[in-house]
């Protein structure tokens, strides 16, 4: 019992004890330390840290995995990258980004497959997945024993994935010429030997690699090519300049997060031996990597800033009118992708690297009717390819042109013919017919 006296009570009542018990107690150092180490999402498990990402020390292992996969899935659904009727070819280089891309595409397919098995009518199909590795050992100094090990590791990785089964394609880069790799290898080496500039060699190899991916996708019926993501090479979610659109669903996943995911799940990655490069691409990549290591939040700043740039016409997937595609997917396509009557871009591209041409680089073909094919090709290319890849003298250029893959030459001819036809349509009303007089 407590007294109500205003003065100091000496009776030993519980007034002071009750007052003290009503006041909140300060948390102990142990409780404070324990609460700060808990996952901010589930509030149950200890956080994982040490990977240097922007969310370092915020999530437990399970919530970290869920959060990273959620970024991937949001990119896929928001940009209508994959629909149930698609067949996706995952370009696998063996690095952390392509390894996580393969794992997440597999997880997405596995969930769709389980839903398919659980449904009564099984009306919703499951998208197909294939994996391709481009062997570039014919033009890069990669030891043969290392390439044999790579083939073995990749085969093990793909075969260990749960059903549905995924086809695996090992493709030498020289197959961009023909199925005869021997003849193609010789021409490829001759073409690459002409390019002495380090940046030009990397750009040329990148273009040939994409041509090889396109060829595999076309021959085996794939309608999407999925890749990993890396700065500064990649900016947008979709690259539809090619016949088979390329999708980049890991755009919102940071490099440190991808590396941490590989460590948490013990995902096997591969790093091929390469010589140090002094190219502009390598220097910029090294600079961005340094920024990521010093301050991981800079990667987010770079991606957000780049995302504010006005995208090209080809950074969306053309709308596909297919009654088998679910209604929700078709609605997303109408919202984010091109309409069917907009599928033909007004942009012009370099026939060699396929980059968009500046207005100043677009040629008036009405003045080039009698030029040699090699000269026409040279003029059609962007200024970067003219400076870093193409030989300056006409004789070497003629040899270089004849050694190019047929797909590159055919694309250049198609573009040039298209420009001539477009020009002819523009001046059609001003042309005289055979029976008309000039007066």
């Amino acid at each position: 019992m407590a007294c109500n006296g205003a003065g100091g009570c000496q009776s030993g009542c519980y007034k002071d004890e009750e007052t003290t018990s009503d006041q909140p107690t300060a948390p102990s150092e142990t409780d404070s330390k324990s609460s700060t180490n808990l996952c901010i999402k589930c509030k149950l498990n200890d956080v994982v840290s040490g990977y240097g990402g922007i969310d370092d020390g915020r999530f437990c292992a399970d919530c970290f995995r869920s959060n990273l996969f959620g970024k991937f899935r949001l990119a896929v659904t928001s940009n209508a990258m994959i629909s149930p009727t698609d067949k996706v070819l995952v370009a696998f280089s063996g690095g952390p980004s392509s390894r996580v891309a393969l794992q997440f595409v597999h997880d997405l397919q596995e969930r769709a497959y389980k839903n398919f098995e659980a449904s009564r009518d099984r009306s919703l199909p499951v998208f197909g997945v294939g994996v391709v590795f481009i062997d570039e050992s014919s033009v890069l100094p990669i030891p043969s024993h290392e390439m044999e090990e790579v083939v073995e590791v990749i085969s093990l990785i793909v075969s260990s994935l749960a059903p549905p089964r995924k086809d695996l394609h090992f493709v030498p880069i020289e197959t961009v010429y023909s199925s005869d790799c021997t003849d193609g290898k010789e021409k490829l080496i001759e073409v690459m030997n002409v390019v002495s500039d380090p940046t030009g060699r990397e750009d040329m190899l990148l273009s040939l690699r994409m041509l090889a991916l396109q060829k595999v996708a076309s021959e085996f019926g794939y309608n999407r090519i999925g890749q990993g993501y890396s700065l500064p090479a990649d900016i947008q979610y979709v690259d539809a300049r090619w016949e088979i659109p390329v999708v980049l669903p890991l755009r919102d996943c940071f490099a440190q997060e991808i590396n941490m995911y590989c460590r948490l799940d013990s995902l096997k990655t591969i790093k091929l031996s390469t010589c140090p490069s002094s190219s502009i691409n390598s220097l910029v990549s090294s600079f961005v990597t340094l920024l990521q290591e010093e301050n991981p939040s800079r990667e987010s700043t770079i991606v957000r800033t780049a995302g504010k740039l006005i995208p090209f016409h080809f950074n969306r997937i053309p709308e596909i009118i297919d009654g088998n595609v679910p209604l929700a997917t078709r609605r997303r396509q109408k919202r984010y992708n091109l309409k069917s009557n907009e599928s033909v871009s007004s942009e012009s591209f370099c026939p060699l690297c396929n980059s968009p041409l500046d207005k100043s680089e677009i040629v008036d073909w009405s003045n080039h009717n009698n030029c040699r094919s090699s000269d026409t090709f040279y003029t059609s290319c962007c200024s970067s390819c003219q400076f870093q890849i193409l030989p300056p003298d006409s004789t070497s250029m003629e040899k270089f042109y004849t050694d190019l893959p047929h797909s590159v030459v055919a694309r250049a001819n198609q573009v040039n013919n298209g420009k001539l036809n477009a020009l002819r349509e523009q001046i059609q009303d001003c042309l005289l017919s055979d029976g008309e007089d000039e007066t």
Side-chain angles (χ1 to χ4, degrees), residues 80-288:
M81 294 183 183
I82 302 175
S83 68
T85 57
D86 286 336
K87 191 176 180 182
V88 183
L89 179 65
V90 179
F92 188 74
S93 66
S97 185
S98 65
R99 181 63 185 91
V100 172
L102 172 60
Q103 188 64 42
F104 281 175
V105 169
H106 160 70
D107 292 343
L108 202 65
Q109 185 196 37
E110 187 178 26
R111 295 186 184 191
Y113 181 72
K114 290 180 179 179
N115 293 336
F116 173 79
E117 290 289 315
S119 63
R120 293 183 178 181
D121 56 0
R122 297 189 175 183
S123 59
L124 193 63
V126 179
F127 67 91
V129 176
V131 183
V132 60
F133 176 82
I134 304 298
D135 179 5
E136 301 172 4
S137 59
S138 59
V139 290
L140 294 178
I142 302 174
S144 57
H145 68 86
E146 189 173 325
M147 187 56 62
E148 292 174 359
E149 181 182 352
V150 166
V151 171
E152 182 179 349
V153 170
I154 295 178
S155 299
L156 182 61
I157 290 173
V158 176
S159 62
S160 64
L161 297 175
R165 179 180 174 274
K166 296 161 185 62
D167 293 329
L168 177 59
H169 312 273
F170 287 101
V171 180
I173 193 169
E174 54 265 29
T175 56
V176 294
Y177 286 90
S178 65
S179 56
D180 184 5
C181 294
T182 304
D183 180 60
K185 183 176 180 179
E186 294 177 356
K187 288 187 176 182
L188 177 62
I189 293 175
E190 290 181 3
V191 165
M192 295 301 297
N193 287 340
V194 172
V195 188
S196 58
D197 183 84
T199 304
R201 287 183 64 86
E202 286 189 3
D203 291 345
M204 185 68 189
L205 188 59
L206 176 64
S207 178
L208 293 171
R209 185 187 306 134
M210 180 55 68
L211 290 176
L213 291 173
Q214 291 287 318
K215 184 176 182 181
V216 175
S218 179
E219 289 180 351
F220 291 91
Y222 296 96
N223 66 332
R224 295 284 187 278
I225 296 177
Q227 287 188 330
Y229 186 89
S230 64
L231 288 174
D234 304 317
I235 295 298
Q236 301 292 341
Y237 294 99
V238 175
D239 183 357
R241 287 174 292 174
W242 312 90
E243 180 183 357
I244 312 296
V246 179
V247 296
L248 305 162
L250 292 182
R251 177 187 179 273
D252 298 324
C253 303
F254 302 137
Q256 293 88 348
E257 295 175 329
I258 291 173
N259 292 331
M260 185 61 180
Y261 189 92
C262 290
R263 290 199 295 270
L264 284 176
D265 283 13
S266 300
L267 298 181
K268 179 70 174 178
T269 59
I270 305 165
K271 185 173 178 60
L272 293 170
S273 300
T274 55
C275 297
S277 175
S278 59
S279 68
I280 296 176
N281 302 329
S282 299
L283 294 175
V284 174
S285 296
S286 300
F287 176 71
V288 172

